[in-house]
Amino acid sequence: MTLFEFVTYITYLVPVLLIILIVYAGTKTPFNAVKFALLGYLITSLAFYFMGEFLGKVYRNNLILIPIFGVVELAWFSLIYRLITTKKLYYLINLPALICLIYELNTINFHLLIEIESYTRFTSTFTLLLLAIFYCFNLLKNRWRDYHPSFFLLNATLLIYASFSCIYYLPLNLLINGKSENKFLFWLVNLIITLLFYIINTKILCNIPGKEKTSS
């Protein structure tokens, strides 16, 4: 079995895991706004997976979904942080990624692999990283008065996920057009981190009481 075949088989775990997590989150009580945002994110991730499979089989190219999903993912986590911290900054921080998305959709031909860049995906994942950093900064500024273990673990998980995603999507053109099979190893690591990210965040957000807020 080649590395490409192995990674392909592992990829089939994504929809199965997402369906399990959606059922788990949807049946976990009590239901609150944070859990609604979590469900929205998981359902969106599942929908993009199936859209990617459809576009891949019909048009043999689903790369246009990469920048779009980056912005949608950022929007859901901005909402989660807005609900947790009550700060409107977590909405405004979406603007750079949205501007990049509009630019890419109007200038890049996603059917020509040589043209594929990752400005939007990199910007959106870098913004996720900023969300995590801002949260840490506010904890320090408030002398840890607003510290909650569940929020802190959520933030640490996002920090790791966003850091690797920034590294992964920055050389996207090389990963798509490169000849070396080592790129599939990079793909495998990204897939494992993403699956763990789904699992850990679902567990954390399903156990955050809706009444808990921070003043960061």
Side-chain angles (χ1 to χ4, degrees):
M1 179 185 295
T2 65
L3 181 58
F4 172 76
E5 291 173 334
F6 178 71
V7 174
T8 301
Y9 291 139
I10 295 294
T11 304
Y12 295 144
L13 291 175
V14 174
V16 175
L17 178 64
L18 284 171
I19 291 172
I20 292 173
L21 294 178
I22 289 169
V23 173
Y24 173 79
T27 55
K28 188 80 171 176
T29 56
F31 200 81
N32 52 49
V34 172
K35 193 179 296 181
F36 168 80
L38 168 65
L39 277 171
Y41 172 62
L42 294 175
I43 293 171
T44 299
S45 299
L46 183 62
F48 268 83
Y49 175 86
F50 286 124
M51 282 191 290
E53 289 294 302
F54 173 78
L55 292 178
K57 290 179 180 178
V58 175
Y59 299 102
R60 298 188 179 279
N61 189 313
N62 57 13
L63 296 175
I64 194 172
L65 297 179
I66 292 177
I68 297 175
F69 179 75
V71 173
V72 173
E73 180 181 53
L74 174 61
W76 281 118
F77 274 94
S78 296
L79 175 59
I80 289 171
Y81 271 72
R82 172 69 174 86
L83 293 170
I84 291 174
T85 66
T86 71
K87 279 286 186 180
K88 293 182 179 179
L89 170 67
Y90 295 108
Y91 284 154
L92 300 176
I93 206 170
N94 287 270
L95 289 177
L98 184 59
I99 292 171
C100 286
L101 177 62
I102 294 172
Y103 169 78
E104 284 193 9
L105 293 180
N106 283 279
T107 58
I108 294 179
N109 183 351
F110 286 89
H111 291 287
L112 297 178
L113 299 184
I114 195 66
E115 289 191 13
I116 299 302
E117 298 293 346
S118 55
Y119 304 123
T120 300
R121 196 66 172 97
F122 173 78
T123 303
S124 59
T125 52
F126 182 73
T127 306
L128 285 175
L129 188 60
L130 290 180
L131 290 179
I133 293 174
F134 286 163
Y135 182 80
C136 292
F137 174 77
N138 280 297
L139 281 179
L140 295 174
K141 184 181 70 174
N142 295 325
R143 300 178 183 274
W144 293 81
R145 288 192 301 268
D146 302 313
Y147 170 77
H148 296 292
S150 53
F151 297 161
F152 189 79
L153 181 56
L154 166 68
N155 200 67
T157 306
L158 183 63
L159 193 62
I160 295 171
Y161 169 75
S163 297
F164 184 82
S165 293
C166 282
I167 298 172
Y168 180 78
Y169 285 105
L170 189 59
L172 182 62
N173 191 288
L174 292 176
L175 290 174
I176 293 173
N177 296 296
K179 303 299 183 182
S180 173
E181 284 215 358
N182 290 332
K183 65 182 181 180
F184 297 120
L185 182 60
F186 208 30
W187 182 10
L188 176 62
V189 174
N190 178 66
L191 181 60
I192 292 173
I193 290 177
T194 301
L195 292 175
L196 290 174
F197 180 69
Y198 288 147
I199 294 170
I200 295 173
N201 276 342
T202 299
K203 180 65 175 177
I204 294 170
L205 293 175
C206 280
N207 290 282
I208 291 181
K211 63 182 180 180
E212 277 193 43
K213 300 284 184 181
T214 74
S215 59
S216 58

